[in-house]
């Protein structure tokens, strides 16, 4: 048997580099992404024993694993009492805010949000933080609390973004508070945020539910004037209302206008009450 060359022997004696903070960050993040969050704290424990200085990314990955396992209070305890004071940022707080809201505990998220504001500029909540809690309250049916937080957000000088406005407008439309939704829409435009197709879909759905088709026609006209093309969702909302109320001729006109605008009916439309009145070729 041939002996290994000196170069091969030298390569065999080469030491493998010790894991760095980047190695551990990747490992802990992979535990979250691979749906094995239980392994994240184990890697974090091994990291503690190495004496390697941790980064904010390390803690964010740990928080994601703990929140995946419904151990949000434990993640909060680490954030408030074990994480070095100079490390927490808005993202690390937002992971925990979202976990509270996803589990139907938006009031706890609000408490943490207010705590962030008191801690100073480095921890001040941003639009994303507010969006998480506002959306959480809406999902829990707490429309009043969500709207109050929306106004508080603006009073604190945090500028709402597209996600904020769309969330608030959609919830108000579902609550049939169209006058309030229109106020928010005007505020949105005033602050330089251009409504998109999602914004208009919420409004059209709201007015369709109330049977105010003149307002729907007005919104469609405004959409086109602003270069926002109606989506299949827009047409579905209109045709669903028209078919349920026996206004078949108008529904046919909407269907024809879809073809003109290059929109094809989707499966929702095929299974809508429309099929009771007219056959659509598959």
């Amino acid at each position: 048997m041939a002996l290994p060359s000196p170069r091969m022997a030298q390569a065999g004696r080469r030491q493998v580099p010790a894991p760095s903070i980047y190695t551990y960050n990747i490992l802990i993040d992979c535990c979250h992404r691979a749906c094995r969050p239980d392994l994240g704290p184990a890697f974090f424990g091994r990291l503690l024993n190495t004496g390697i200085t941790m980064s904010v990314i390390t803690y964010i990955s740990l928080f994601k694993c703990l929140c995946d396992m419904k151990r949000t209070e434990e993640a909060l305890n680490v954030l408030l009492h074990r994480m070095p004071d100079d490390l927490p940022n808005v993202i690390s707080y937002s992971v925990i805010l979202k976990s509270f809201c996803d589990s139907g505990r938006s009031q706890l998220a609000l408490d943490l949000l207010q705590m962030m504001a008191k801690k100073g500029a480095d921890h001040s909540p941003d639009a994303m933080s507010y969006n998480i809690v506002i959306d959480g309250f809406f999902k829990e049916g707490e429309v009043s609390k969500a709207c109050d937080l929306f106004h508080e957000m603006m009073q604190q000088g945090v500028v709402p973004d597209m996600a904020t406005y769309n969330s608030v407008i959609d919830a108000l439309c579902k609550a049939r508070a169209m006058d309030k939704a229109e106020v928010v829409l005007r505020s949105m435009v005033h602050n330089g945020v251009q409504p998109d197709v999602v914004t208009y879909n919420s409004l059209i759905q709201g007015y369709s539910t109330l049977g105010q088709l003149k307002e729907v026609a007005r919104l469609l006209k405004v959409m086109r004037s602003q270069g926002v093309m109606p989506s299949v969702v827009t047409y579905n909302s209109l045709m669903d209302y028209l078919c349920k109320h026996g206004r078949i001729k108008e529904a046919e006109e909407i269907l024809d206008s879809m073809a003109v605008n290059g929109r094809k009916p989707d499966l929702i439309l095929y299974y809508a009450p429309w099929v009771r009145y007219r056959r659509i070729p598959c």
Side-chain angles (χ1 to χ4, degrees):
M1 180 182 295
L3 295 174
S5 67
R7 181 174 297 179
M8 292 177 63
Q10 185 178 2
R13 293 195 300 268
R14 188 174 298 162
Q15 292 184 346
V16 177
S20 66
I21 185 58
Y22 304 107
T23 312
Y24 280 102
N25 286 350
I26 292 170
L27 281 171
I28 298 172
D29 183 60
C30 284
C31 293
H32 160 68
R33 294 176 182 273
C35 299
R36 285 301 308 272
D38 53 305
L39 298 178
F43 283 120
F44 184 81
R46 291 187 61 177
L47 175 57
L48 285 174
N49 294 329
T50 65
I52 298 173
T53 302
M54 302 183 197
S55 68
V56 66
I57 296 174
T58 317
Y59 283 97
I60 290 173
S61 298
L62 173 67
F63 295 159
K64 289 179 179 178
C65 289
L66 291 173
C67 291
D68 287 344
M69 294 186 289
K70 313 300 182 186
R71 292 161 59 179
T72 311
E73 286 82 358
E74 186 176 341
L76 179 60
N77 181 62
V78 174
L79 172 68
L80 298 179
H81 304 297
R82 295 176 58 187
M83 193 173 179
D85 293 337
D86 61 328
L87 283 186
N89 61 10
V90 175
I91 298 176
S92 55
Y93 279 97
S94 295
V95 172
I96 298 174
L97 289 173
K98 188 174 188 305
S99 183
F100 277 134
C101 292
D102 287 346
S103 60
R105 297 181 291 172
S106 296
Q107 183 58 50
L108 292 178
L110 178 60
D111 295 341
L112 180 58
L113 191 73
Q114 293 171 340
M115 186 185 301
M116 291 172 65
K118 293 178 181 178
K119 281 183 172 289
D122 293 339
H123 304 84
S124 295
D126 60 4
M128 179 180 68
S129 310
Y130 279 101
N131 291 349
I132 291 170
V133 185
I134 289 171
D135 190 57
F137 276 129
F138 278 134
K139 287 179 178 177
E140 293 175 27
E142 298 283 1
V143 177
S144 178
K145 287 185 178 180
C147 290
D148 288 344
L149 186 57
F150 173 65
H151 294 303
E152 179 185 319
M153 172 186 183
M154 292 188 288
Q155 290 171 358
Q156 294 296 326
V158 180
V159 180
D161 58 15
M162 180 70 76
T164 318
Y165 283 114
N166 281 347
S167 177
V168 173
I169 289 174
D170 183 63
L172 291 174
C173 290
K174 287 177 178 175
R176 301 190 175 191
M178 301 308 299
D179 53 341
K180 293 182 180 179
E182 289 283 357
V183 170
V184 176
L185 178 67
R186 288 193 291 272
S187 172
M188 180 181 187
V189 175
H190 177 75
N191 289 325
V193 181
Q194 179 64 38
D196 63 2
V197 68
V198 176
T199 318
Y200 286 113
N201 283 349
S202 297
L203 291 163
I204 288 172
Q205 175 69 45
Y207 280 121
S208 295
T209 302
L210 295 174
Q212 298 182 18
L213 295 188
K214 288 185 179 180
E215 291 298 323
V216 171
R218 176 183 64 84
L219 287 171
L220 287 171
K221 186 176 180 180
V222 171
M223 286 179 72
R224 294 190 180 97
S225 69
Q226 294 180 351
V228 181
M229 293 302 297
S231 67
V232 173
V233 175
T234 316
Y235 290 110
N236 284 346
S237 298
L238 282 170
M239 296 183 68
D240 183 65
Y241 171 81
L242 292 170
C243 290
K244 285 179 178 177
H245 290 79
R247 302 169 68 166
I248 309 307
K249 185 175 180 180
E250 292 170 273
E252 289 178 344
E253 292 173 356
I254 295 294
L255 183 67
D256 293 338
S257 71
M258 288 184 70
V260 172
N261 291 310
R263 303 295 186 193
K264 294 182 179 180
D266 64 0
L267 288 176
I268 294 177
L269 183 57
Y270 283 124
Y271 288 101
W274 171 259
V275 298
R276 302 174 189 170
Y277 306 102
R278 174 177 174 178
R279 292 183 180 179
I280 304 177
C282 297

